[in-house]
Amino acid sequence: MAQKPSIPKGTRDFNPQDVAKRNYIFSTIKQQFELFGFQPIETPSFENSSTLMGKYGEEGDRLIFKILNSGDYLKKVDENLYASKDASKLTSKISEKALRYDLTVPFARFVVQHQNDIDFPFKRYQIQPVWRADRPQKGRFREFYQCDADVVGSDSLWQEVEFVQLYDAVFTKLGLSGVTIKINNRKILSGIAEVIGAKDKLIDFTVALDKLDKIGEENVKAEMLEKGIPQSGIDKLQPLFSLSGDFGSQVTELKTILKASEEGTLGIEELEFINTGIEALGLNTAQLQLDVTLARGLNYYTGAIFEVAAPEGVAMGSIGGGGRYDDLTGIFGLKDMSGVGISFGLDRIALVLEELNLYPETVSDSVKVLFINFGEQEALASMKAIKELRANGVRAELFPDKKNTKKQFNYANKRNIPFVVLLGDSELQSNTYTLKHMSSGEQSQVDLNGLISAVQ
Amino acid sequence: MAQKPSIPKGTRDFNPQDVAKRNYIFSTIKQQFELFGFQPIETPSFENSSTLMGKYGEEGDRLIFKILNSGDYLKKVDENLYASKDASKLTSKISEKALRYDLTVPFARFVVQHQNDIDFPFKRYQIQPVWRADRPQKGRFREFYQCDADVVGSDSLWQEVEFVQLYDAVFTKLGLSGVTIKINNRKILSGIAEVIGAKDKLIDFTVALDKLDKIGEENVKAEMLEKGIPQSGIDKLQPLFSLSGDFGSQVTELKTILKASEEGTLGIEELEFINTGIEALGLNTAQLQLDVTLARGLNYYTGAIFEVAAPEGVAMGSIGGGGRYDDLTGIFGLKDMSGVGISFGLDRIALVLEELNLYPETVSDSVKVLFINFGEQEALASMKAIKELRANGVRAELFPDKKNTKKQFNYANKRNIPFVVLLGDSELQSNTYTLKHMSSGEQSQVDLNGLISAVQ
C-alpha cells in the first residue's frame, strides 16, 4: 500500500539549490582550512557507545542516538534485568553503538588510536554531520553538520593567533564583513573568581557573568549573591562591568583587578600575546574584542575562549566558537596533549548569508545549455554538439523527449537554464545552431565553434 | 578511567591521505555529473522505519540499522508483547527510525514528497554514506558511500545513451582506460524465458544464467533442469552460449532466438537504439558490450541493465551498475514515473586506482611551505610572509614551537612539505628569506616576491 512519505522530525531534505548553497560555504571554509595547513580526516558515523557515553554530561548521554544491536538482541539479556522493564538499564544491553554527537570526542579517539602514525603537531579539519535527539526548533536540528579545525600537540599561542586570522579569512571570503571575534581566557575567569573569594564557585560565577548581556548588571549581581558569593567579592567586580576603551586599555584595567592572582595574570599575558600578534598582522574585515563574560564550555577549555558574533544588526546567536583545551585526549589515556580548535556554525552562517543576500548569483547555476528535442535525427546531432560542449567544460543537456517546443522552453525557464539551442531540419542542413539567450530573448545563428564560445 | 579506543567493526577512520584520494574520486565524478546536467540532492541519514522496511526483502530488513527511540522507550510497550521477549516483535515498538540502507529508496521518497516542487524530468545525483549490518569482510563495510545518478520522469532511451557516455567520461577522467560497460535488457531476459517455456521461472532462469562466468555452461544447464526448466527449452538456449562477434552480429543472432516474443523483440529494439547512439557518438576509453547473462537486481529493473567491469587483468567485481526501472516511486504512491540510473562503486574504484597507481602524484599534497620557528620576533615576521603566501593561494604554515631546527626539518620531511623557509636574525636584517627546496636540498636567498613566485 502506498505510504504518505515524510521524514523524521528535526531532519531535512536538501534540494539542488540548498546543496549548492551549502557546498559554497563548505568549499569556502575548506579552501581556507587548507591554506592554513589543516588536513581533512573523517571518522565513522557511529562509534562504540563506550567511546561516547559519559563524555557530554547526563543531558548529553540522553541526547545521543543509540543504535539497536542486530539480530536477536534480547537473547543474552539477563532475565531479571529484562523483567524490571527499565529502559535506562536495558539500553546498554541491547545497544552497543551510537551516532556521533559531535566531532570533538571522535577526534580525540582518533588521535589516541592513531597516535603512532600521526606527526605532531597535528592540524586536522573535519566537516561531517552529527546527530542529537534534541527537541527540534527553529534553527535546531537532529541532524546537522559540524565544521571543526583543531591543532593538537602544541601549546604555542601562535595557534590562537592563527585561528583568529582563520576566522577573519573565512568570513571575509564569504563576504560577511564586520563579524566580531570575541576572546576570553579561562585563566582570567579563574583569576577573577580567586580574587573575589569565589574560587570554589567558579561555575556559578561564570554562569551568572555569562548572562550580563541578557539580564543586566543588577540581576547578575543578585544571582551571584544568591549563589553564595560574598557581597565584598561582588563589589570588587565593579570595574569589570565598566571595562571600556580599546583592547589595550581594557587589558590594563583587568591587570589591576587581577594582580593578586598568578593564574589570572598568566591569562592576561596570553591574551596580550594574541592581541599583539593580531595587531601586527592585521585583520581584513573582522574585529577582535575582549569579552570577559564569555565562558562557553568552561569545563572543557583551559586557555583562550573564542566566540564569533554576526555583524551588528543581524539577530543571530554565535556563528562560531572554540578555545584551548589541555586534556582532550586524556579521556582515552593520552596525557599532556594540548589542543586548540574552532568551529563554524554552518546552519547559522547559511541563514546570515541568506538574510544579507550574500550568496554569489551563480551559486546554484546548473545546466547552461538545453537542446530542444525535435526527434531522433536532430537529437543525435544535438548529442554530438553536447559532447563537444561538455568537453569544453560547459554543462549541457538534451531535452530527453520530443514534446511540443513550448513545454521544452518552459522546462528551460523553470530550471533557469540561460541558453537554449534549436537544432531542427534547416539547421541540420546548414550545419548551424540557432542559439537563444533566454533572458534577452535574442537569437543568433552560429556554428559549433561559435556556439561553444558564445556560451562559455 | 582511560579506555583503549577502537571503532565498531566494519567502519573506518580516514586519515588525510585517504580523504584526499576519496575526494579526488568524488570530485571527478561530481564534475562529470554536473557537465551532464545532474544536480545534487541530500536526504537525512535516518528515515522513518516505515519508509525503509519491506523495500529490500527479508534479508534487507534484517540488515537495516535501527535507531532506538529516545527517552523511556519501554513505557508504551504492551505488557504481553514485552513479556514474550521476542526481539522481532519488540523492534517496531522501540525503534521508529532507521539508517539509510541505500540512496534509491530515499530518492523515491524524496521525489514523491516534493513532486510539486520538482521540474520533471528530474536529473539528480547523490553522494552520501549508507549503512548495512552486513558481516564485514574484505572490501565490504558497514558504512560506505554510494554515488548515484538518476533521471526520473522520462522514458526516453537517450538517457541510457547518456549514462553509457557518463560512465565513459568518468572512467576516462580517472585515467582508468579499458573498462567494459556491459549492457542487457530485462525485456530480453523475459523474452528468452518466454521462448523456452519458462516464463513463470524467470527468476530461477536468470539466476542460473547469471552464473555462466563462474560455473560454466554445463552447470548452468544442470541448474536450470533442476529448477524445472524443460530440456527442450534449454536446448533452445544453445545459441545464447555461443553468441559471438561484435555487438551488431550478436544482436542479429538474438533477434532470431527472440522473434516469437514481442517483449523480447522490444528489448532488442531498445538495445539497438542505445548501441546505434553510442556508435555514432563514440566512446573515449570504454567499450560497450552486450551481455545477455547480466541480471543484477532483476525484480527492480524493467528495461536496460548496466554493469561496469574493471579493465582486463584487474581482479575486481563490478565497479558500477544500474538500469531502468518503471515504478520506483509507486511504493510511495506516485505511479507512472519511469526512471533510469547508475551508480559508481567508490570503494572498489579506489582499490583499482591504488592497484594501477592511477592517483595523480599531487593528490595528497598538503602544506607547500613550512617556516622554521626561531623565536618570537622571527615568528611574527614569518607570519606576515605566510599571510602573503596564503593570499596568493599558497598553503603555508609556521612550525608553532621554537624547537631545535632538526626536529622542525624532520616534521617537514615526514609531512612531505616541499619547501622550508628559514627566517632568522640575518634574514630579518636583510629582509630576505632563505628558501630550501627539500627534495633537491638546494637553498636560495629570496625576497618576498621571489619567495611567492618560487613556490607557486
Side-chain angles (χ1 to χ4, degrees):
Chain A
M1 207 193 70
Q3 305 160 319
K4 189 181 180 304
S6 66
I7 52 176
K9 62 178 178 181
T11 66
R12 291 169 284 178
D13 278 332
F14 296 104
N15 68 28
Q17 289 71 41
D18 300 330
V19 175
K21 287 178 177 174
R22 289 161 63 85
N23 282 348
Y24 164 71
I25 301 176
F26 285 143
S27 65
T28 304
I29 295 176
K30 276 166 75 168
Q31 193 189 24
Q32 294 303 319
F33 280 173
E34 295 185 353
L35 283 174
F36 277 73
F38 291 87
Q39 293 183 285
I41 70 161
E42 289 178 11
T43 62
S45 296
F46 48 73
E47 296 270 351
N48 293 319
S49 299
S50 56
T51 300
L52 304 184
M53 298 297 284
K55 308 301 190 300
Y56 306 101
E58 245 177 73
E59 171 78 352
D61 279 357
R62 275 203 314 107
L63 299 184
I64 289 173
F65 279 113
K66 286 105 187 163
I67 295 173
L68 204 52
N69 292 344
S70 304
D72 184 3
Y73 54 86
L74 292 177
K75 204 167 61 183
K76 288 183 187 161
V77 176
D78 174 83
E79 286 297 338
N80 289 328
L81 186 148
Y82 188 74
S84 73
K85 210 180 171 191
D86 181 335
S88 63
K89 284 181 187 152
L90 188 62
T91 301
S92 65
K93 308 297 174 191
I94 63 174
S95 161
E96 284 161 6
K97 293 180 288 294
L99 289 176
R100 189 165 53 211
Y101 180 84
D102 73 358
L103 302 180
T104 307
V105 169
F107 173 52
R109 194 266 310 144
F110 181 99
V111 169
V112 177
Q113 189 173 332
H114 304 287
Q115 55 185 290
N116 296 329
D117 305 318
I118 294 174
D119 305 310
F120 294 99
F122 182 45
K123 298 172 77 170
R124 88 85 171 81
Y125 75 83
Q126 197 169 352
I127 302 179
Q128 292 192 278
V130 302
W131 297 269
R132 296 181 183 182
D134 241 327
R135 203 163 50 82
Q137 56 189 62
K138 192 176 180 306
R140 189 200 281 167
F141 303 97
R142 290 186 150 192
E143 173 175 50
F144 58 98
Y145 268 77
Q146 285 194 338
C147 185
D148 290 9
D150 291 80
V151 190
V152 290
S154 161
D155 54 13
S156 163
L157 290 167
W158 285 112
Q159 308 293 7
E160 277 84 341
V161 174
E162 286 272 73
F163 280 118
V164 173
Q165 288 194 98
L166 179 54
Y167 267 138
D168 176 53
V170 166
F171 289 116
T172 300
K173 278 283 170 193
L174 288 173
L176 191 59
S177 297
V179 304
T180 301
I181 303 165
K182 300 181 194 169
I183 186 169
N184 196 12
N185 195 300
R186 154 76 177 243
K187 299 185 179 83
I188 291 176
L189 289 168
S190 298
I192 296 172
E194 185 187 335
V195 163
I196 66 169
K199 204 172 178 177
D200 57 332
K201 296 197 171 62
L202 178 59
I203 302 292
D204 288 337
F205 163 71
T206 52
V207 165
L209 192 61
D210 198 30
K211 295 181 187 162
L212 184 60
D213 260 7
K214 285 178 210 123
I215 63 176
E217 182 178 330
E218 290 315 309
N219 290 317
V220 167
K221 287 177 179 170
E223 183 172 325
M224 288 182 179
L225 203 58
E226 192 191 316
K227 293 286 183 181
I229 297 174
Q231 185 62 52
S232 60
I234 296 173
D235 291 344
K236 283 189 198 156
L237 283 179
Q238 198 53 49
L240 272 193
F241 294 121
S242 48
L243 277 187
S244 64
D246 60 10
F247 206 107
S249 37
Q250 290 188 45
V251 165
T252 309
E253 283 188 64
L254 261 188
K255 269 187 188 163
T256 319
I257 303 172
L258 285 172
K259 64 175 179 287
S261 163
E262 200 180 321
E263 190 175 7
T265 303
L266 186 57
I268 290 183
E269 281 168 17
E270 292 184 10
L271 208 56
E272 282 190 302
F273 182 94
I274 299 164
N275 187 51
T276 305
I278 290 300
E279 281 189 347
L281 293 164
L283 294 177
N284 295 303
T285 64
Q287 56 166 323
L288 184 65
Q289 193 179 80
L290 174 59
D291 180 355
V292 286
T293 71
L294 183 64
R296 291 182 66 90
L298 184 72
N299 291 318
Y300 188 77
Y301 294 123
T302 53
I305 304 172
F306 298 113
E307 190 167 281
V308 182
E312 266 184 65
V314 182
M316 186 65 64
S318 72
I319 54 175
R324 162 121 9 220
Y325 40 83
D326 277 337
D327 194 25
L328 179 67
T329 56
I331 45 174
F332 298 113
L334 183 63
K335 300 284 178 197
D336 298 322
M337 182 67 79
S338 187
V340 53
I342 61 172
S343 72
F344 289 82
L346 173 74
D347 288 309
R348 288 182 171 179
I349 293 170
L351 288 171
V352 173
L353 296 192
E354 199 71 62
E355 184 176 333
L356 299 180
N357 204 12
L358 290 176
Y359 286 110
E361 265 186 48
T362 55
V363 76
S364 55
D365 277 4
S366 59
V367 167
K368 210 155 185 187
V369 189
L370 178 77
F371 281 66
I372 300 293
N373 190 330
F374 289 110
E376 205 169 310
Q377 282 317 305
E378 295 86 347
L380 180 59
S382 296
M383 290 290 281
K384 287 180 181 170
I386 287 168
K387 193 177 174 183
E388 292 304 318
L389 283 168
R390 289 173 183 161
N392 284 279
V394 179
R395 299 174 186 191
E397 66 178 41
L398 168 73
F399 191 86
D401 302 285
K402 190 195 165 196
K403 290 197 177 162
N404 80 50
T405 315
K406 202 179 155 199
K407 274 193 184 157
Q408 299 190 44
F409 269 101
N410 273 346
Y411 177 80
N413 265 326
K414 279 189 190 161
R415 281 192 64 193
N416 277 320
I417 299 175
F419 295 101
V420 166
V421 172
L422 299 117
L423 175 51
D425 237 9
S426 64
E427 286 91 351
L428 261 186
Q429 278 170 24
S430 62
N431 208 8
T432 60
Y433 306 83
T434 300
L435 176 66
K436 180 164 181 173
H437 191 284
M438 293 294 280
S439 64
S440 70
E442 265 172 53
Q443 279 195 192
S444 55
Q445 209 73 10
V446 290
D447 64 6
L448 185 58
N449 287 329
L451 175 61
I452 292 170
S453 57
V455 300
Q456 248 172 349
Chain B
M1 208 195 70
Q3 305 158 316
K4 189 180 179 304
S6 65
I7 53 176
K9 62 179 177 180
T11 67
R12 291 169 285 178
D13 279 331
F14 296 104
N15 69 29
Q17 288 70 40
D18 300 330
V19 176
K21 287 178 176 175
R22 288 161 63 85
N23 282 347
Y24 163 72
I25 300 175
F26 285 143
S27 64
T28 303
I29 296 176
K30 277 167 75 167
Q31 194 190 21
Q32 295 302 320
F33 280 173
E34 297 185 351
L35 282 173
F36 276 73
F38 292 88
Q39 292 184 287
I41 68 161
E42 290 179 11
T43 63
S45 297
F46 48 74
E47 297 271 351
N48 293 320
S49 298
S50 56
T51 300
L52 303 185
M53 298 298 284
K55 306 304 189 298
Y56 307 101
E58 246 176 72
E59 170 78 353
D61 279 358
R62 276 202 314 106
L63 299 185
I64 289 173
F65 278 113
K66 288 103 187 165
I67 295 173
L68 204 52
N69 292 344
S70 303
D72 185 2
Y73 54 87
L74 292 177
K75 205 166 59 185
K76 288 181 187 163
V77 176
D78 174 82
E79 286 297 339
N80 289 330
L81 187 147
Y82 188 75
S84 74
K85 210 181 170 188
D86 181 334
S88 63
K89 286 181 187 152
L90 188 62
T91 302
S92 65
K93 308 298 173 190
I94 63 175
S95 162
E96 286 161 4
K97 292 181 290 292
L99 289 177
R100 188 166 52 211
Y101 180 84
D102 73 357
L103 301 179
T104 307
V105 169
F107 172 53
R109 195 264 311 144
F110 180 99
V111 168
V112 178
Q113 189 173 333
H114 304 288
Q115 54 186 288
N116 296 328
D117 306 319
I118 293 174
D119 305 310
F120 294 98
F122 182 45
K123 299 172 75 169
R124 87 87 171 78
Y125 75 84
Q126 197 170 350
I127 303 179
Q128 291 194 279
V130 302
W131 297 269
R132 297 182 182 181
D134 242 328
R135 203 162 50 83
Q137 56 188 60
K138 192 174 181 306
R140 188 199 284 166
F141 304 98
R142 293 188 146 190
E143 172 176 50
F144 59 98
Y145 268 77
Q146 286 193 339
C147 186
D148 288 10
D150 291 79
V151 190
V152 290
S154 161
D155 53 14
S156 163
L157 290 168
W158 285 112
Q159 308 294 6
E160 277 83 342
V161 174
E162 285 274 72
F163 281 119
V164 173
Q165 287 193 98
L166 179 53
Y167 268 138
D168 176 53
V170 166
F171 289 116
T172 299
K173 277 285 171 194
L174 288 173
L176 191 58
S177 298
V179 304
T180 300
I181 303 167
K182 299 180 194 169
I183 186 169
N184 195 11
N185 195 299
R186 156 74 177 242
K187 298 184 179 86
I188 291 176
L189 289 168
S190 299
I192 296 173
E194 186 188 336
V195 164
I196 65 170
K199 204 172 178 178
D200 57 331
K201 296 198 171 66
L202 179 59
I203 301 291
D204 287 337
F205 163 71
T206 53
V207 164
L209 192 61
D210 198 30
K211 293 181 188 163
L212 183 59
D213 261 8
K214 285 179 208 121
I215 64 176
E217 184 178 329
E218 290 315 309
N219 290 317
V220 167
K221 288 177 179 171
E223 183 172 324
M224 289 181 178
L225 202 60
E226 192 191 319
K227 294 285 182 184
I229 298 175
Q231 184 63 49
S232 60
I234 296 174
D235 290 345
K236 284 189 197 154
L237 282 178
Q238 198 53 47
L240 272 193
F241 296 121
S242 47
L243 277 186
S244 63
D246 60 11
F247 206 106
S249 36
Q250 291 187 45
V251 165
T252 309
E253 286 188 61
L254 262 187
K255 269 186 187 162
T256 318
I257 303 173
L258 286 171
K259 63 175 180 288
S261 163
E262 201 181 321
E263 189 176 7
T265 303
L266 186 58
I268 289 183
E269 280 168 18
E270 292 186 9
L271 208 58
E272 283 189 302
F273 182 95
I274 299 164
N275 187 50
T276 305
I278 290 300
E279 281 189 348
L281 293 164
L283 295 177
N284 294 303
T285 64
Q287 54 166 326
L288 183 65
Q289 194 177 81
L290 174 59
D291 180 356
V292 285
T293 70
L294 184 64
R296 291 184 65 91
L298 183 73
N299 291 318
Y300 188 77
Y301 295 122
T302 53
I305 304 173
F306 298 113
E307 190 166 281
V308 182
E312 266 185 64
V314 182
M316 184 70 61
S318 74
I319 54 176
R324 176 161 302 263
Y325 39 85
D326 276 336
D327 194 26
L328 179 67
T329 56
I331 45 174
F332 299 113
L334 183 63
K335 299 285 178 197
D336 298 322
M337 182 66 81
S338 187
V340 51
I342 60 170
S343 73
F344 288 83
L346 173 72
D347 288 309
R348 287 182 173 179
I349 292 171
L351 287 171
V352 173
L353 295 191
E354 198 73 62
E355 185 177 333
L356 300 180
N357 204 13
L358 290 176
Y359 286 111
E361 264 186 48
T362 55
V363 75
S364 55
D365 276 4
S366 60
V367 167
K368 207 151 184 189
V369 189
L370 178 77
F371 281 66
I372 299 294
N373 190 330
F374 289 112
E376 207 169 309
Q377 282 318 304
E378 295 86 347
L380 180 59
S382 296
M383 290 290 280
K384 288 181 180 169
I386 287 168
K387 193 179 174 184
E388 292 304 320
L389 282 169
R390 288 173 183 161
N392 284 280
V394 178
R395 301 175 184 188
E397 66 178 42
L398 168 72
F399 192 87
D401 304 284
K402 191 196 163 195
K403 290 198 176 160
N404 80 49
T405 314
K406 202 180 156 200
K407 274 193 184 157
Q408 299 189 46
F409 269 100
N410 272 347
Y411 177 80
N413 265 327
K414 278 188 191 163
R415 282 193 62 196
N416 277 319
I417 299 175
F419 294 101
V420 166
V421 173
L422 298 117
L423 175 51
D425 238 9
S426 65
E427 285 90 352
L428 262 185
Q429 278 172 24
S430 61
N431 208 8
T432 59
Y433 306 82
T434 300
L435 175 66
K436 181 164 180 173
H437 191 285
M438 292 294 279
S439 63
S440 69
E442 263 174 55
Q443 279 195 191
S444 56
Q445 209 73 10
V446 290
D447 64 6
L448 185 57
N449 286 329
L451 175 62
I452 293 169
S453 56
V455 301
Q456 249 172 348

